[in-house]
Amino acid sequence: MTDIRMDWAREKRTGLAEAVFCAGKTARQIDAILAEADGRRLLLTRLGPEKCDALDPAHRNALDYDPLSGTAFLGTPAPLTARGAAVVCAGTSDLPVAREATRTLAFYGWQAPLIADVGVTGLWRLMERLDEIRAQDVVIAVAGMEGALFSVLAGLVESVVIAVPSSIGYGVAANGQAALSSALSSCAPGVLTVNIDNGFGAAGAAIKILKLRSR
Amino acid sequence: MTDIRMDWAREKRTGLAEAVFCAGKTARQIDAILAEADGRRLLLTRLGPEKCDALDPAHRNALDYDPLSGTAFLGTPAPLTARGAAVVCAGTSDLPVAREATRTLAFYGWQAPLIADVGVTGLWRLMERLDEIRAQDVVIAVAGMEGALFSVLAGLVESVVIAVPSSIGYGVAANGQAALSSALSSCAPGVLTVNIDNGFGAAGAAIKILKLRSR
Amino acid sequence: MTDIRMDWAREKRTGLAEAVFCAGKTARQIDAILAEADGRRLLLTRLGPEKCDALDPAHRNALDYDPLSGTAFLGTPAPLTARGAAVVCAGTSDLPVAREATRTLAFYGWQAPLIADVGVTGLWRLMERLDEIRAQDVVIAVAGMEGALFSVLAGLVESVVIAVPSSIGYGVAANGQAALSSALSSCAPGVLTVNIDNGFGAAGAAIKILKLRSR
Amino acid sequence: MTDIRMDWAREKRTGLAEAVFCAGKTARQIDAILAEADGRRLLLTRLGPEKCDALDPAHRNALDYDPLSGTAFLGTPAPLTARGAAVVCAGTSDLPVAREATRTLAFYGWQAPLIADVGVTGLWRLMERLDEIRAQDVVIAVAGMEGALFSVLAGLVESVVIAVPSSIGYGVAANGQAALSSALSSCAPGVLTVNIDNGFGAAGAAIKILKLRSR
Amino acid sequence: MTDIRMDWAREKRTGLAEAVFCAGKTARQIDAILAEADGRRLLLTRLGPEKCDALDPAHRNALDYDPLSGTAFLGTPAPLTARGAAVVCAGTSDLPVAREATRTLAFYGWQAPLIADVGVTGLWRLMERLDEIRAQDVVIAVAGMEGALFSVLAGLVESVVIAVPSSIGYGVAANGQAALSSALSSCAPGVLTVNIDNGFGAAGAAIKILKLRSR
Amino acid sequence: MTDIRMDWAREKRTGLAEAVFCAGKTARQIDAILAEADGRRLLLTRLGPEKCDALDPAHRNALDYDPLSGTAFLGTPAPLTARGAAVVCAGTSDLPVAREATRTLAFYGWQAPLIADVGVTGLWRLMERLDEIRAQDVVIAVAGMEGALFSVLAGLVESVVIAVPSSIGYGVAANGQAALSSALSSCAPGVLTVNIDNGFGAAGAAIKILKLRSR
Amino acid sequence: MTDIRMDWAREKRTGLAEAVFCAGKTARQIDAILAEADGRRLLLTRLGPEKCDALDPAHRNALDYDPLSGTAFLGTPAPLTARGAAVVCAGTSDLPVAREATRTLAFYGWQAPLIADVGVTGLWRLMERLDEIRAQDVVIAVAGMEGALFSVLAGLVESVVIAVPSSIGYGVAANGQAALSSALSSCAPGVLTVNIDNGFGAAGAAIKILKLRSR
Amino acid sequence: MTDIRMDWAREKRTGLAEAVFCAGKTARQIDAILAEADGRRLLLTRLGPEKCDALDPAHRNALDYDPLSGTAFLGTPAPLTARGAAVVCAGTSDLPVAREATRTLAFYGWQAPLIADVGVTGLWRLMERLDEIRAQDVVIAVAGMEGALFSVLAGLVESVVIAVPSSIGYGVAANGQAALSSALSSCAPGVLTVNIDNGFGAAGAAIKILKLRSR
């Protein structure tokens, strides 16, 4: 009865397929979408473990589900043949967002290393991995708290830097606002930003960028 | 006496030379930087007409100055040989920011068309130019007020979309906050954002992206 | 004992009866109001399923309750004889708010189609339904995230557009603030706005407007 | 050289012609628009006296300019034949916004009384004019400070109420934020809101509504 | 072990005894305070039902507890001999805050009527009680949402008006911010304000004021 | 032509006459109000020196004008016979607001000492004047920056304390927001607050309170 | 599998060892860090009781855990031989934050008295302990609500004052914002501030300062 | 006539003399303070060039005035004999604030190097000066925009770090808010913060800290 219409042609039009943002949907609404998929591959994001378990078992079992990032794949995974992006994060607490990015990349066939715990307070950790990072065309950087990683990284590498502020922090950093304003007002030129916790959007933009290489 | 040290090696390290942000500097401080340039090319941003006129005449005359965008070039312009980006803006009031982007692109040798007055209220104006826009690899979109242009555009093109919220508007849109939040929370996947009025940063990011094509 | 006085004469005075906003009331306070209704028809809003179940069974059974929108009708429904409004929403997650609007319209005898999933990222979905929307005198548009739907719609139709920002989104869009500022600062002339998630208020205003046709 | 494209077909499409918002435009850009008008009628808003005086004298003299509201008409005025709206404001300081509304209505041929100084602190002043206000189909209410007028008015009349928060006030009321939040969170059902100081938008919406009577 | 020191001399110094704000304290900490009371009378505020039940039964049974307002009295109640204040509230949802005020007044021996449901949307309800309200020296007004009650009331009565914004509302009114800014920016002279939901503080101030009559 | 209607009966109704808030009015509008006064006494607030000089000389000369506070009296001053209030301020920069309060009190016949420079950083200065302050029934406290004066004072005196946050400060204290939140969230019971810089409102409330003594 | 790299050399480099901020980590991630500690001493902060109980029992039993502050020590405690700091707090509700500070100090070998309940409303309580406080080189002050303690204290002592705003309060004081802005805008010179509830950071800074004495 | 009372004993009580904050004072008020100094040394801050020129010439000539920082010394300078602090700033635009700090230090006899242009985008510039910075006991760091300098610096040095966010930036960084939240939410332990642009306060705190070494 619910009137759901997926934008199945979006991939052709914009280069990125529509994904299912599950946060505001009931398990029944997600079931309806999955039923409509009809053999098409689908990426689901923000799917919490409880809601995932509340899905129709037939649907649940068909999903490749990752609880840390809350992402799920419907359908056969794409082979991981493409390269050029890495996901870098400041601390352990940023991993859910960082993995939303790597999972989204993987869904579309991109293999991207996840380099964790390179927050700028221990600069040597970043420096140790710098060559690996510099080899990438696009670097997705995830950081909460004060988000200093974005500026330091963008001052060190030639790669395109996409900043994902994460909602890690308390007091003035609560909900990612401090990290977001750091990303947007970075002194380093060429830092690009997406919404707080938006690992999916960062991955989507990275794919659009990487595809240009062969266009 | 003022202790100014330009980061002359930044271009080599990050692919983008350091520019001189003039808004918080006195004419004397800018003169000191220009004196230190010593034959190197320099891009100046946020240089208002009064401050420009207050420079040492020898410096003033050496500049290629554009009052609308407040940008100035020191040194021989690069030949406009590179292509792949366009700057799109919603209304006439967005032109200063849009031109900061095209001037920055031009300083580095990129010729980018400026497509103005394609705000979404008159959707036909955007549709009319859509083929031209779709032909670009990167589209820098400048919009103030409610910033609906970002989402509509990103839903229509395969190009990478960089949103520049402009500080055009009043009431809740004052200072570009409404357009910024629209850019960041866009439903369209893959929209990338820079700070309010940051045409320079958008252009810098666009260049980093476009260079990947030949890397 | 609780001193509750309904404003029973409000419908005569303002054209809209007082409704019972249940969010801040206990089940006992709502029971007291229902007991006082004494044969009058009543609309209840923001009545969650748990609170509804906690009502006196005699009251609970007398209600026509819709859990998705949290609305309930006491008394015989009005015949659905009036027409002229539609409710349009950007995505599945906006349905609770959209249905609060259609249910409010229905309570007063207005049949209004609910047109879902017409977010601007897939513009074709909106275009496909455009004739149907244009035929309405008043269009209630519900959207969260960046709320670009409001401006695009108002640029396409002659109908009166009432924007209802919904609290769908995260990061800068959390709690509907981004969509609200988009609605208020829309470039399209004549967009009218109500509070975040206020489907009831939008429906009330629509009825006031539609009644003018026969005044 | 500036690429300005007016949306001349907007009136046909949406019922309201595009107006020229002068706040972010230079006198030269406004001159270019006026030159392009070519016999068409045009409404200009937010045109300050200094900028008006800086226009090409030929353009300046062709304008019917009202300095209090900053509005100007190009072309022969429409005859004031339509009726049904009034503009009500709380205090003398709200007059610039209130007149932006009446001037916009007048440009399109609607004669609307302006009822000033009916702030709720002296409720008798509102009551004295209540019959006159109740006779209108649409009431545009302009108020700054705490904006209590919106709720009181909407509780007393059957007319459609459009609230225009004005940027009158200091401290927590600075820039109209207190009045805006009062309008949006009004307990009175059916209050519709536009952006702070947006007398133009309120008038545009009023016209759309009033036209429904004869549709 | 916890180092708690009550300011037992505060009543002598400021005219108001220290009360125990329970929201940030554990049941054990409250027990320690009650144990220290040693025959003195004590007022407890913001004591939720669960925390109240978690107190040492000996303490729990000694309290006169009111769950709606979350207030509790330790010790023999003062005789209700003093008069001069009333508490007025806009709607049923404001009752918890309004009762925090009446209970605080009662603890100190003041009998104050609670006049509910006089929100300004149904102005007649306020008018009906106006004589009763005008007879008071101090009126504590509790309102959430847009808080228009404060201005209307203060424009009608000679009594001192103390506004208590309540955290009733959603969207822009969430958490009482809209009502607070209405109270502070009221056009009516002489409105005094306390923090959101601070019925206790309003009652304390009222007592200080009323005592002046006999000073 | 301007439609100005003063609420001349307000004093009778609420105990406080309407004053003329000049900040949002032109000199011509103020002239119109003064012309209408017709022998009545009037208090003008927020009248800057330039606007005062721009008044009709006949009006200007009839005013008792105080440039520091921006207040003016029209008509014979009331004899300063009433007592019971003092105005206390933290620093020299708070004097304009403090004097708006003393001038308002004087207009209505109340003589109130102004005790300056008693900020809490030098607590001895406050202690030195404490007996004088304690002798007052109402104390109006004006402070900007962090506003700690409000709490300290209210913890020391039995008098009613009315806090007036002033817009003195920079950074997070800009525009008085820090002082306002300090006033509202004071731990000291019974602190009452008015809008930022609202010396007039504080004086009005003080008068209402002081009149109760003889009611 | 989770890639966790502690910055074990931080103590040598900055004088403070890295601590484990547990709020954003799962019990499994904390277990992994504890497993890696390998005989090193570790301080854990923001470890709630439930999460602590969910740790591997071998790890749980090895911890010296304090539930009030949510801190835990791994490894043999340092002898409490160093002196020079005190922690002062305004009320009982500030104890969790105050103890995070004393526990952090203790972990590094500093014995610091915790002086509670010295809020400025009862100034005598602060005065009573003033000599003890003045004997300290560094005073960590914890306060929520309006945070007046910071300014009063800094005006009375020669010690270095570190303000820790606590998230105690409601309405405008919710989440510690009012106390934070009071700390930052204090009139008393030399007040230093850390993030809301950041007892750990304040202790760390105190240690850095105290070490200077013997440097 | 103006009632100004300096807190001349503050230096004895707190270790720091009262300074004259000139931003909110008229030239006449400053003259009155200077006249009262009577041979005592005085530090004036936030004294703009115009206001300085408007002082009584006898006072103006007695001042050692620095226009860049807006600071002035009255009386014989203290000999620059003390050492242990440095002021570090990210860019040229931060110099006014950085010099307010060095001038304040100099007024009290501390010679502190000013190390400019060490923003983290060009990390080598910071590294080049790192030994010099590490040799200091206290480092005052001034940065606007995203304020990443605070965290990077504090991760590299053992010195006490006092962060001064500067009001350099635009968009989300306007007025120093982004830099302030970065300072407060820094991942690096032991970063202490003062108000935006508060070079004076940072210097005062540094002096308090440095004095501990010889206590």
Coordinates of all heavy atoms in Angstrom, one line a residue, chain F residues 15-47:
Chain F
G15 N -0.2 50.4 34.9 CA 0.7 51.1 35.9 C 1.9 51.7 35.3 O 2.7 52.3 36.0
L16 N 2.1 51.5 34.0 CA 3.3 52.0 33.3 C 2.9 52.7 32.0 O 2.2 52.0 31.2 CB 4.3 50.9 33.0 CG 5.1 50.3 34.2 CD1 6.0 49.2 33.7 CD2 6.0 51.4 34.8
A17 N 3.2 53.9 31.8 CA 2.9 54.6 30.5 C 3.7 54.0 29.4 O 4.8 53.5 29.6 CB 3.1 56.1 30.7
E18 N 3.1 54.1 28.1 CA 3.9 53.7 27.0 C 5.1 54.7 26.8 O 4.9 55.9 26.9 CB 3.0 53.8 25.7 CG 3.7 53.2 24.5 CD 2.8 53.1 23.3 OE1 1.7 53.6 23.3 OE2 3.2 52.4 22.3
A19 N 6.2 54.2 26.4 CA 7.4 55.0 26.1 C 7.6 54.9 24.6 O 7.1 54.0 23.9 CB 8.6 54.5 26.9
V20 N 8.4 55.8 24.1 CA 8.7 55.8 22.6 C 10.1 55.2 22.4 O 11.1 55.8 22.8 CB 8.6 57.2 22.1 CG1 8.9 57.2 20.6 CG2 7.3 57.9 22.4
F21 N 10.1 54.0 21.8 CA 11.3 53.3 21.5 C 11.8 53.9 20.2 O 11.2 53.6 19.1 CB 11.1 51.8 21.4 CG 12.2 51.0 21.1 CD1 13.3 50.7 22.0 CD2 12.3 50.4 19.8 CE1 14.4 50.0 21.6 CE2 13.4 49.6 19.5 CZ 14.4 49.4 20.4
C22 N 12.9 54.7 20.2 CA 13.3 55.4 19.0 C 14.2 54.7 18.0 O 14.4 55.2 16.9 CB 13.9 56.7 19.4 SG 12.9 57.8 20.4
A23 N 14.7 53.5 18.4 CA 15.7 52.9 17.6 C 15.2 52.6 16.2 O 16.0 52.8 15.2 CB 16.2 51.6 18.2
G24 N 14.0 52.2 16.0 CA 13.6 51.8 14.6 C 12.7 52.9 14.0 O 12.1 52.6 13.0
K25 N 12.8 54.1 14.5 CA 11.9 55.1 14.0 C 12.7 56.2 13.3 O 13.8 56.5 13.8 CB 11.0 55.7 15.1 CG 10.1 54.7 15.7 CD 9.1 55.4 16.6 CE 8.1 54.3 17.2 NZ 8.7 53.3 18.1
T26 N 12.2 56.8 12.3 CA 12.9 58.0 11.7 C 12.6 59.2 12.6 O 11.7 59.3 13.4 CB 12.4 58.3 10.3 OG1 11.0 58.6 10.4 CG2 12.5 57.0 9.4
A27 N 13.5 60.3 12.4 CA 13.3 61.5 13.1 C 11.9 62.1 12.8 O 11.2 62.6 13.7 CB 14.4 62.5 12.7
R28 N 11.5 61.9 11.6 CA 10.1 62.4 11.2 C 9.0 61.7 12.0 O 8.0 62.3 12.4 CB 9.9 62.3 9.7 CG 10.7 63.2 8.8 CD 10.5 64.7 9.0 NE 11.0 65.2 10.2 CZ 12.3 65.5 10.5 NH1 13.2 65.3 9.6 NH2 12.7 66.0 11.7
Q29 N 9.2 60.4 12.1 CA 8.1 59.6 12.9 C 8.1 60.1 14.3 O 7.1 60.2 14.9 CB 8.4 58.1 12.7 CG 8.2 57.6 11.3 CD 8.5 56.1 11.2 OE1 9.5 55.7 11.7 NE2 7.8 55.4 10.4
I30 N 9.3 60.3 14.9 CA 9.4 60.8 16.3 C 8.8 62.1 16.4 O 8.0 62.4 17.4 CB 10.8 60.7 16.8 CG1 11.4 59.3 16.7 CG2 10.9 61.2 18.2 CD1 12.9 59.2 16.9
D31 N 9.1 63.0 15.5 CA 8.4 64.3 15.5 C 6.9 64.2 15.5 O 6.2 64.9 16.2 CB 8.9 65.1 14.2 CG 10.2 65.9 14.4 OD1 10.5 66.2 15.6 OD2 10.9 66.0 13.5
A32 N 6.4 63.3 14.7 CA 4.9 63.1 14.6 C 4.4 62.7 16.0 O 3.3 63.2 16.4 CB 4.6 62.1 13.6
I33 N 5.1 61.8 16.7 CA 4.6 61.4 18.0 C 4.7 62.6 19.0 O 3.8 62.8 19.8 CB 5.5 60.2 18.5 CG1 5.2 59.0 17.6 CG2 5.2 59.9 19.9 CD1 6.2 57.8 17.8
L34 N 5.8 63.3 18.9 CA 5.9 64.4 19.9 C 4.8 65.5 19.6 O 4.3 66.1 20.6 CB 7.3 65.1 19.7 CG 8.5 64.2 20.2 CD1 9.8 64.8 19.8 CD2 8.4 63.9 21.7
A35 N 4.5 65.7 18.4 CA 3.4 66.6 18.0 C 2.1 66.2 18.6 O 1.3 67.0 19.0 CB 3.4 66.8 16.5
E36 N 1.9 64.9 18.6 CA 0.6 64.4 19.1 C 0.5 64.4 20.6 O -0.5 64.1 21.2 CB 0.5 62.9 18.6 CG -0.9 62.4 18.5 CD -0.9 60.9 18.3 OE1 0.1 60.3 17.9 OE2 -2.0 60.3 18.5
A37 N 1.7 64.6 21.3 CA 1.7 64.4 22.8 C 0.8 65.4 23.4 O 0.1 65.1 24.4 CB 3.1 64.6 23.3
D38 N 0.8 66.6 22.9 CA -0.2 67.6 23.3 C -0.3 67.8 24.8 O -1.3 67.6 25.5 CB -1.6 67.1 22.8 CG -2.7 68.1 22.9 OD1 -2.3 69.3 22.8 OD2 -3.8 67.7 23.1
G39 N 0.9 68.2 25.4 CA 0.9 68.5 26.8 C 1.2 67.3 27.7 O 1.5 67.4 28.9
R40 N 1.0 66.1 27.1 CA 1.3 64.9 28.0 C 2.8 64.7 28.2 O 3.5 65.1 27.3 CB 0.7 63.6 27.3 CG -0.8 63.6 27.2 CD -1.2 62.1 26.8 NE -2.6 62.1 26.3 CZ -3.0 62.3 25.1 NH1 -2.1 62.7 24.2 NH2 -4.3 62.2 24.8
R41 N 3.2 64.1 29.3 CA 4.6 63.8 29.5 C 5.0 62.6 28.7 O 4.1 61.7 28.5 CB 4.9 63.6 31.0 CG 4.6 64.8 31.8 CD 4.9 64.5 33.3 NE 6.2 64.1 33.5 CZ 6.7 63.0 34.0 NH1 5.8 62.1 34.4 NH2 7.9 62.7 34.2
L42 N 6.2 62.5 28.2 CA 6.6 61.3 27.4 C 8.0 61.0 27.7 O 8.9 61.9 27.9 CB 6.5 61.7 25.9 CG 5.3 61.2 25.1 CD1 5.6 61.5 23.7 CD2 5.1 59.7 25.3
L43 N 8.3 59.7 27.8 CA 9.7 59.2 27.9 C 10.1 58.6 26.6 O 9.4 57.8 26.0 CB 9.7 58.1 29.0 CG 11.1 57.3 29.1 CD1 12.2 58.2 29.6 CD2 10.9 56.2 30.2
L44 N 11.3 59.0 26.1 CA 11.8 58.5 24.9 C 13.1 57.7 25.2 O 13.9 58.1 26.0 CB 12.2 59.6 23.9 CG 11.0 60.4 23.3 CD1 10.7 61.6 24.2 CD2 11.3 60.9 21.9
T45 N 13.2 56.5 24.6 CA 14.4 55.7 24.8 C 15.1 55.4 23.5 O 14.5 55.5 22.5 CB 14.1 54.3 25.5 OG1 13.2 53.6 24.6 CG2 13.4 54.6 26.8
R46 N 16.4 55.0 23.6 CA 17.2 54.6 22.5 C 17.2 55.7 21.4 O 17.1 55.5 20.2 CB 16.7 53.3 21.8 CG 16.6 52.1 22.8 CD 18.0 51.6 23.1 NE 17.9 50.7 24.3 CZ 18.1 49.4 24.2 NH1 18.3 48.9 23.0 NH2 18.0 48.6 25.2
L47 N 17.4 56.9 21.9 CA 17.5 58.1 21.0 C 18.9 58.5 20.8 O 19.5 59.1 21.8 CB 16.6 59.2 21.5 CG 16.6 60.5 20.7 CD1 16.0 60.3 19.3 CD2 15.8 61.6 21.5

